[in-house]
């Protein structure tokens, strides 16, 4: 059995401090999430830039090969039109020209496809860079605002801690130590008001003897299942 009347206002202050610290953490996480999203978008743009460079190199190589095939086809055509070419050589030149033109047609399709891809990527990258730049500027503003808010919350915490220190002076050392120990173990709320035959912290039902003891006084008892301190606020016989 633990006297809990003096602990109740202390816990209220501790829970307010916990909530304030949670606010600070959430504000920090918000900025981190925004930064992570921006970094991910920037990384995606870098991948698109690398892909664009690869396609541009392929496009230039294909254009050079396309021009080479057209030149070869023209040269073969000139030879074909010269006088005194044997029939076998004439047929061979015709096959060469057909082959050059076929390869050139395939390359022309690839060149046009790559031109379209390059155009789409360039526009996409330009748009993405503008968006990332804008989001970075916005993040600077958000961080500035969040830092101001965090400073405000920290001031509130300082006031709450001062009030907590004054509140703890009126609590017996042994009771305070037990409370602090449980707070460390449970990382949060320790005291729970109870008006039904089950622990509000863990939900386990109370044995009959424990319930009889709990309802017979106004102090707190440790739940046998989770060690939370529970005190009765329900109807008494």
């Amino acid at each position: 059995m633990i006297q809990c009347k003096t602990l109740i206002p202390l816990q209220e202050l501790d829970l307010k401090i916990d909530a304030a610290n949670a606010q600070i953490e959430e504000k920090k996480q918000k900025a981190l999430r925004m930064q992570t999203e921006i970094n991910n978008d920037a990384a995606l743009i870098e991948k698109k830039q690398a892909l664009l460079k690869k396609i541009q190199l392929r496009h230039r190589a294909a254009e050079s090969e396309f021009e080479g095939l057209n030149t070869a086809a023209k040269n073969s055509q000139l030879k074909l039109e010269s006088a005194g070419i044997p029939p076998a050589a004439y047929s061979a030149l015709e096959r060469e020209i057909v082959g050059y033109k076929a390869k050139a047609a395939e390359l022309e399709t690839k060149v046009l496809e790559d031109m379209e891809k390059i155009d789409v990527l360039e526009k996409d990258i330009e748009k993405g860079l503008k968006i990332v730049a804008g989001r970075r500027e916005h993040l600077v503003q958000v961080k500035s605002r969040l830092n101001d808010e965090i400073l405000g919350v920290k001031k509130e915490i300082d006031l709450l801690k001062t009030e907590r220190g004054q509140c703890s002076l009126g609590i017996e050392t042994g009771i305070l130590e037990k409370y602090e120990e449980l707070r460390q173990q449970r990382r949060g709320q320790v005291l729970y008001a109870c008006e039904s035959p089950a622990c509000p912290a863990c939900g386990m039902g109370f044995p009959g003897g424990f319930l009889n003891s709990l309802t017979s006084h106004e102090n707190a008892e440790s739940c046998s299942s989770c060690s939370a301190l529970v005190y009765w606020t329900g109807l008494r016989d």
Side-chain angles (χ1 to χ4, degrees), residues 205-219:
F206 295 138
F210 179 88
L211 183 61
N212 289 335
S213 175
L214 183 65
T215 57
S216 67
H217 56 73
E218 295 182 351
N219 295 320

Side-chain angles (χ1 to χ4, degrees), residues 93-160:
L93 285 170
E94 281 186 326
R95 287 194 297 272
E96 279 184 4
I97 292 170
V98 171
Y100 290 144
K101 288 183 176 180
K103 288 181 180 179
E106 291 179 6
L107 275 175
E108 186 177 23
T109 300
K110 291 180 181 178
V111 166
L112 292 173
E113 287 175 351
D114 281 346
M115 284 177 64
E116 185 177 352
K117 290 176 182 177
I118 288 169
D119 183 57
V120 170
L121 276 171
E122 285 178 340
K123 290 178 180 177
D124 192 29
I125 289 169
E126 182 182 5
K127 180 181 177 181
L129 288 171
K130 288 180 180 178
I131 291 173
V132 167
R135 293 183 68 186
R136 281 177 174 153
E137 290 179 6
H138 178 60
L139 178 59
V140 171
Q141 297 171 357
V142 170
K143 281 183 175 180
S144 178
R145 176 175 57 79
L146 289 176
N147 285 336
D148 290 342
E149 291 176 0
I150 287 171
L151 285 175
V153 176
K154 284 182 176 179
K155 288 179 181 178
E156 292 177 12
I157 291 174
D158 288 340
L159 292 174
L160 288 169

Side-chain angles (χ1 to χ4, degrees), residues 6-19:
T6 54
L7 291 177
I8 293 172
L10 183 70
Q11 175 170 267
E12 288 176 355
L13 290 169
D14 280 334
L15 292 178
K16 287 180 180 178
I17 292 170
D18 290 346

Side-chain angles (χ1 to χ4, degrees), residues 15 50 54 58 62 70 74 91 108 113 115 118 121 128 156 164 171 184 219 233:
L15 292 178
K54 180 180 178 181
R58 185 178 70 196
N70 282 335
K74 288 178 181 178
S91 297
E108 186 177 23
E113 287 175 351
M115 284 177 64
I118 288 169
L121 276 171
E156 292 177 12
R164 184 191 191 280
I171 303 174
Q184 288 293 324
N219 295 320
T233 57

